[in-house]
Amino acid sequence: MEDQNLIKFLAVGAVLFVCGVLCMTTKRNAIGILMGVELVLNGANINLVAFSQYGTLGLDGQVMSLFVIVLAAAEAAVALAIVLSFYNNHRTVDVDQATELSG
């Protein structure tokens, strides 16, 4: 019974991960790409918590999940600041317009 529950959690995590990757690769909007990154991180968190509950990780998986949540919050804050700054300068959040940022 526990193996079936683990498989269900892993399936949900995999679906979130794939949705995030698809969102990151297909969106041209910077906000959409950031949402894709958050979906990928949440899919990984579900897998970490599932393995800590049904596997041999114990609390290590949950501690790592909390670390990923803190990292995602910091990443979102920095990325949104960059996006807002880019929007103030160029009046768009289209990532194709950001070519002048390189070098």
Side-chain angles (χ1 to χ4, degrees):
M1 181 70 175
E2 288 185 8
D3 289 337
Q4 292 175 350
N5 288 335
L6 177 62
I7 291 172
K8 290 177 186 176
F9 282 116
L10 294 180
V12 170
V15 167
L16 276 176
F17 188 86
V18 169
C19 287
V21 169
L22 287 175
C23 186
M24 286 189 301
T25 56
T26 59
K27 297 288 184 183
R28 300 181 95 151
N29 189 341
I31 304 296
I33 293 171
L34 291 175
M35 288 172 49
V37 169
E38 295 296 326
L39 281 174
V40 166
L41 292 174
N42 285 330
N45 279 340
I46 288 177
N47 287 341
L48 285 171
V49 172
F51 281 131
S52 72
Q53 180 68 30
Y54 297 107
T56 59
L57 283 178
L59 285 178
D60 292 342
Q62 294 176 2
V63 170
M64 288 301 296
S65 179
L66 286 174
F67 178 73
V68 170
I69 290 170
V70 169
L71 184 71
E75 171 263 332
V78 170
L80 283 175
I82 292 170
V83 168
L84 286 174
S85 174
F86 185 77
Y87 180 77
N88 284 337
N89 292 332
H90 302 285
R91 298 292 180 225
T92 183
V93 290
D94 188 8
V95 293
D96 290 334
Q97 301 295 325
T99 57
E100 67 209 28
L101 294 178
S102 60

